[in-house]
Amino acid sequence: EHEGLHLTVEVRSVNNRSFKAMLRLPDSLTSLEGELEAKLARRVQRGSVSLTVRLGDASARSAGRINAGALKGYLDQLKAVQGAGIAIDAGALLGLPGVIVDDGGVAVCEVARPAIDRLLEESCRQLFAMREREGTALRALLLSLGQTIQSRLDEVRARAPEVSRLYGERLKARMTTMLAEAGVAARQEDVLREVATFAERADIAEEIQRLGGHLQAFRTLLDP
């Protein structure tokens, strides 16, 4: 509440790589749009930000001024044709273009400006506090997910050397069975060659190392 004005300022933000503003102002405050966007940009450097200002005016400023010249012009024209049976309705006259002039727009802007500035500052302060709370919660979630990936990676690293050995045992057993059924003995060098080919194709040492490096960079990035 400020000098007969009821003002509400709301600031919302969603993630964006750069700053993008969208302002919603009542008609009587549209002349403040440029400076409010500039003030918002100085406070919020990043994000898609919407600023909404709502205004209620209970003061005498909200009453329009009757343009006496325009009203007299309408009355003179109506009197000239009154013989045709045209009735003069005062309410309809006030609704004619140019009869009611709103001179309060500039005055409202000047009165509202300091209050809007204070509300904008407070809204941005609360926005930053909310961002920090959300960021803290998101950081904890990301660290937890990173730890899960690290645990799975440790399991993979520990089990990787066993893959070739287990594959070799299964391959030797299969080849022995198949060749025995065909009446042929399995040669050790054939088995070893097949195992070596598989081991080279299935080697994931580089991938394990790279993922470990990514996880370390991930934790460093999240370090407050």
Side-chain angles (χ1 to χ4, degrees), residues 160-220:
E162 292 294 303
V163 173
S164 296
R165 184 184 64 80
L166 293 174
Y167 177 78
E169 292 178 356
R170 289 197 299 269
L171 179 63
K172 182 178 180 179
R174 269 203 314 273
M175 291 183 66
T176 300
T177 300
M178 293 173 60
L179 293 174
E181 292 175 352
V184 181
R187 295 190 305 171
Q188 186 67 20
E189 56 268 26
D190 293 335
V191 176
L192 292 176
R193 183 170 57 252
E194 288 295 327
V195 172
T197 301
F198 173 81
E200 182 179 358
R201 189 169 61 246
D203 183 24
I204 57 172
E206 180 182 351
E207 284 75 11
I208 291 175
Q209 184 66 28
R210 289 178 61 192
L211 181 53
H214 289 317
L215 287 171
Q216 181 57 48
F218 179 72
R219 288 189 291 268
T220 300

Side-chain angles (χ1 to χ4, degrees), residues 7-198:
L7 290 157
T8 303
V9 172
E10 180 183 90
V11 178
R12 293 172 175 262
S13 174
V14 295
N15 193 33
N16 197 317
R17 292 183 177 181
S18 58
F19 173 78
K20 180 181 179 182
M22 180 173 63
L23 278 67
R24 299 185 183 91
L25 307 176
D27 292 340
S28 57
L29 298 178
T30 51
S31 62
L32 297 178
E33 183 171 353
E35 64 180 88
L36 287 178
E37 182 172 352
K39 291 173 181 177
L40 188 64
R42 286 195 296 270
R43 290 166 173 79
V44 187
Q45 286 77 36
R46 185 173 181 271
S48 293
V49 187
S50 66
L51 169 64
T52 303
V53 179
R54 300 181 183 89
L55 169 68
D57 190 353
S59 69
R61 289 182 300 267
S62 61
R65 176 178 60 83
I66 296 177
N67 185 339
L71 179 58
K72 184 177 183 302
Y74 284 123
L75 285 171
D76 290 344
Q77 294 179 64
L78 286 171
K79 287 176 181 178
V81 295
Q82 199 169 14
I86 298 177
I88 298 177
D89 183 343
L93 281 173
L94 294 177
L96 291 172
V99 175
I100 300 296
V101 180
D102 182 10
D103 292 331
V106 175
V108 168
C109 285
E110 293 305 316
V111 172
R113 180 183 279 110
I116 293 176
D117 286 346
R118 291 194 300 271
L119 290 172
L120 178 60
E121 189 67 36
E122 174 61 19
S123 296
C124 289
R125 187 192 66 79
Q126 294 188 26
L127 174 69
F128 298 148
M130 176 60 74
R131 277 183 166 184
E132 185 171 353
R133 289 194 295 272
E134 289 183 347
T136 299
L138 181 59
R139 176 181 178 274
L141 173 62
L142 292 175
L143 285 173
S144 175
L145 294 173
Q147 184 56 50
T148 298
I149 296 174
Q150 183 67 62
S151 297
R152 300 296 186 270
L153 180 61
D154 292 341
E155 293 178 12
V156 171
R157 181 183 288 110
R159 294 179 61 181
E162 292 294 303
V163 173
S164 296
R165 184 184 64 80
L166 293 174
Y167 177 78
E169 292 178 356
R170 289 197 299 269
L171 179 63
K172 182 178 180 179
R174 269 203 314 273
M175 291 183 66
T176 300
T177 300
M178 293 173 60
L179 293 174
E181 292 175 352
V184 181
R187 295 190 305 171
Q188 186 67 20
E189 56 268 26
D190 293 335
V191 176
L192 292 176
R193 183 170 57 252
E194 288 295 327
V195 172
T197 301
F198 173 81

